[in-house]
Amino acid sequence: MTQPGTSQHADDDDARILGSLGRIVGDRHVIADAAGRAGFDTDWRGMFAGRSLAVVAPADAAQLADVVRLCAARRLAIVPQGGNTGLCGGATPDTSGRQIVVTLRRMTGLRHLDPEDAVMICDAGVPLAAAQEHAADAGLLLPIAIASAGSATVGGAIATNAGGVNVLHYGSMRRCVMGVEAVLADGTVWSDLGGLHKDNTGFDLSALLAGSEGTLGIITAAALALAPRPSRHLTFLAGLPDLVRANAALAALRARTGEAITAWEVFSATSADLLHAEGPRLSLPLARPHPWYLLGEVSLFGPGDAREERAFEDLAAVLENAGIDDVTPAASGSQRQALWALREGITEAERAVGPSLKHDIAVRPSRIAALATHLADECRRLDPRLRVNIFGHMGDGNLHVNALPLVRDTALPVALAEAVTRMIHDATHAAGGSFSAEHGVGQLKRAEMRRYKDASALRVMQRIKTALDPDGVFNPGKVLP
Ligand code: 2HG
Ligand code: ZN
């Protein structure tokens, strides 16, 4: 029972904390009212609804360091947030009203871009799309391509080690990171922004922070390795009877072409139906419907029509040998964009029917075809009414296996949802795979960590967490079980 006077005391205490935060970042950058907090306290999908004490927006790493010291002294946890586009609730506070959301949205500076060394140093709050534009202005490429690039930030993409549609050639976000600057739990601003390709001086702490989802430190800036910008793309959409062919065609094209195969994406007939009926309402430019679709892209560098013709011949021969005969190549930049709009519209179209049950699994690419068939069959066995939207990144072995609501705008019954997730994750684990390929763990998949992750790996992670954040200031309740 609350003692008389206690709640007044708590209110006064909160007011003092808010006042102290305001003195660090400026009062107008401390948002404490419910309406102002709303967009930060809830995740993009509306799956996780938290209640923070305040949302704080520091202008730079020095201010953030002061915020961290203050929170550590007051035993307030910090939930770092980038563009709030994550799918696992990793950036959403709990409901205690005692956590501080730190948004990096004011930290959007481009610190340095060196075309000669192909390195860009920018603040963590720069939206990915803006970072991509900076790279393009210098004739270079920041090779990370995710549909949420307009809102997702550089820091968030690093903290979650985001993937996307070009991973098979360029790797996930961690591979673009040459080093980061971060605020550590004791308020130190630690910087590794030298932009070195080689630095074998002990543990790679920047790589450790990448993918740590804000549990070890708060990334405030990054040195990113940029890639040559393709001069042209060969992009196509094809219909397929099965995924075995998609994999065989990828292997054959790899063996044949010296060019960069930068995307090998697949989606199911259910994805095509959703695209047609929901959200963006897009139709596929193919002659007939198919069980599966493949969106592939080869990137070409430098001038030379001969090279383009050769790549086109290679691709045509490979698709023909694989028995893939319903193919539409993009004949212009706008046709390429239209093909990519299909792939990038799937999540939006899926969202239009209501809260789906998402999965983000990885196996070795050669196992994708059999696993996809197995999962679709097993879902039907669990409930014949289930519609499963399978799509993803065939080239790197990552599929999204999303069960749609049985009733529009209504989450699946809990027991069915649990059975579906268990079945999908068990089958993936049995195939040597991972229950989180590119979306991270956040709060959504913590229990899966205990279930599937090697116990000794968990112990090491826990020790690292304790070493770097002994008081548990950074993002408690995330990642570690
Ligand atoms: C994608 O591949 C994203 O488009 C989102 O990872 C996946 O919406 C999803 O389930
Ligand atoms: Zn994906």
Side-chain angles (χ1 to χ4, degrees):
M1 208 167 92
T2 312
Q3 301 276 330
T6 303
S7 114
Q8 181 58 46
H9 175 78
D11 286 352
D12 290 350
D13 198 39
D14 285 357
R16 270 194 294 276
I17 292 168
L18 298 178
S20 303
L21 289 167
R23 278 188 290 283
I24 298 171
V25 300
D27 286 334
R28 65 197 184 89
H29 301 299
V30 178
I31 306 164
D33 65 295
R37 286 189 281 103
F40 301 88
D41 278 357
T42 304
D43 71 313
W44 175 78
R45 293 183 71 203
M47 271 182 83
F48 300 96
R51 188 170 73 87
S52 61
L53 176 60
V55 178
V56 177
D60 53 32
Q63 285 190 2
L64 176 54
D66 285 344
V67 169
V68 168
R69 273 190 286 267
L70 175 80
C71 290
R74 304 297 306 237
R75 302 218 160 258
L76 293 167
I78 294 178
V79 180
Q81 196 176 95
N84 198 15
T85 57
L87 294 171
C88 298
T92 310
D94 68 13
T95 52
S96 66
R98 307 309 305 157
Q99 299 192 327
I100 304 291
V101 172
V102 164
T103 171
L104 284 283
R105 285 183 190 183
R106 284 175 72 205
M107 296 170 57
T108 55
L110 171 64
R111 297 194 191 176
H112 176 73
L113 199 161
D114 184 341
E116 192 179 352
D117 285 331
V119 60
M120 168 164 73
I121 299 175
C122 66
D123 287 343
V126 174
L128 270 183
Q132 286 161 338
E133 275 170 33
H134 291 316
D137 290 345
L140 293 163
L141 179 77
L142 175 62
I144 169 105
I146 58 177
S148 54
S151 317
T153 59
V154 165
I158 297 172
T160 55
N161 188 25
V165 299
N166 292 154
V167 169
L168 85 157
H169 185 69
Y170 295 106
S172 296
M173 191 66 188
R174 186 185 281 121
R175 212 204 284 166
C176 304
V177 176
M178 304 176 96
V180 301
E181 174 193 89
V183 176
L184 305 179
D186 62 359
T188 310
V189 180
W190 170 72
S191 179
D192 178 23
L193 297 178
L196 301 180
H197 282 284
K198 289 182 146 182
D199 180 11
N200 259 355
T201 52
F203 304 153
D204 187 344
L205 300 180
S206 292
L208 178 64
L209 287 180
S212 66
E213 300 188 49
T215 60
L216 301 179
I218 304 180
I219 296 166
T220 48
L224 300 169
L226 304 177
R229 195 167 186 78
S231 51
R232 274 158 305 171
H233 297 96
L234 231 151
T235 312
F236 68 93
L237 180 73
L240 315 162
D242 56 58
L243 288 182
V244 177
R245 273 166 220 252
N247 206 39
L250 175 59
L253 190 59
R254 266 201 185 117
R256 204 171 161 130
T257 180
E259 306 293 346
I261 305 166
T262 40
W264 211 252
E265 298 283 305
V266 293
F267 55 92
S268 58
T270 307
S271 314
D273 292 346
L274 284 170
L275 283 168
H276 188 69
E278 308 288 345
R281 292 183 199 279
L282 301 170
S283 303
L284 272 50
L286 290 172
R288 55 184 198 279
H290 299 266
W292 293 98
Y293 300 91
L294 165 66
L295 201 173
E297 189 160 273
V298 178
S299 292
L300 304 169
F301 299 86
D305 290 346
R307 169 186 268 153
E308 189 167 356
E309 276 163 30
R310 171 85 203 281
F312 192 83
E313 280 164 23
D314 280 338
L315 179 63
V318 160
L319 295 178
E320 195 186 326
N321 288 345
I324 299 171
D325 61 358
D326 193 4
V327 183
T328 297
S332 63
S334 62
Q335 285 186 14
R336 171 176 179 247
Q337 269 173 16
L339 293 186
W340 275 112
L342 293 165
R343 172 61 185 84
E344 285 171 357
I346 296 174
T347 296
E348 220 32 79
E350 185 185 287
R351 185 156 94 138
V353 299
S356 59
L357 182 70
K358 287 185 184 287
H359 303 90
D360 167 39
I361 58 169
V363 289
R364 283 163 55 172
S366 60
R367 297 179 184 169
I368 283 274
L371 185 63
T373 308
H374 174 76
L375 296 180
D377 290 349
E378 287 298 300
C379 282
R380 265 189 296 276
R381 208 176 54 76
L382 284 170
D383 191 321
R385 296 169 302 168
L386 267 181
R387 278 180 85 199
V388 187
N389 180 27
I390 303 185
F391 63 102
H393 319 286
M394 175 100 203
D396 58 54
N398 171 199
L399 279 188
H400 303 299
V401 184
N402 299 345
L404 305 180
L406 296 176
V407 179
R408 214 180 162 87
D409 291 326
T410 312
L412 284 181
V414 174
L416 178 59
E418 283 177 4
V420 169
T421 295
R422 191 55 50 232
M423 181 278 291
I424 291 175
H425 288 171
D426 277 355
T428 303
H429 189 67
S434 167
F435 62 86
S436 179
E438 58 170 4
H439 295 170
V441 176
Q443 46 187 303
L444 182 65
K445 297 181 185 167
R446 274 174 86 204
E448 307 301 74
M449 288 288 269
R450 186 172 302 291
R451 186 179 277 266
Y452 299 109
K453 195 85 189 164
D454 177 67
S456 47
L458 282 180
R459 269 197 304 278
V460 173
M461 286 189 204
Q462 191 58 64
R463 283 188 206 134
I464 292 172
K465 169 72 178 171
T466 308
L468 292 189
D469 182 19
D471 297 327
V473 175
F474 290 146
N475 222 4
K478 313 287 166 52
V479 183
L480 294 168

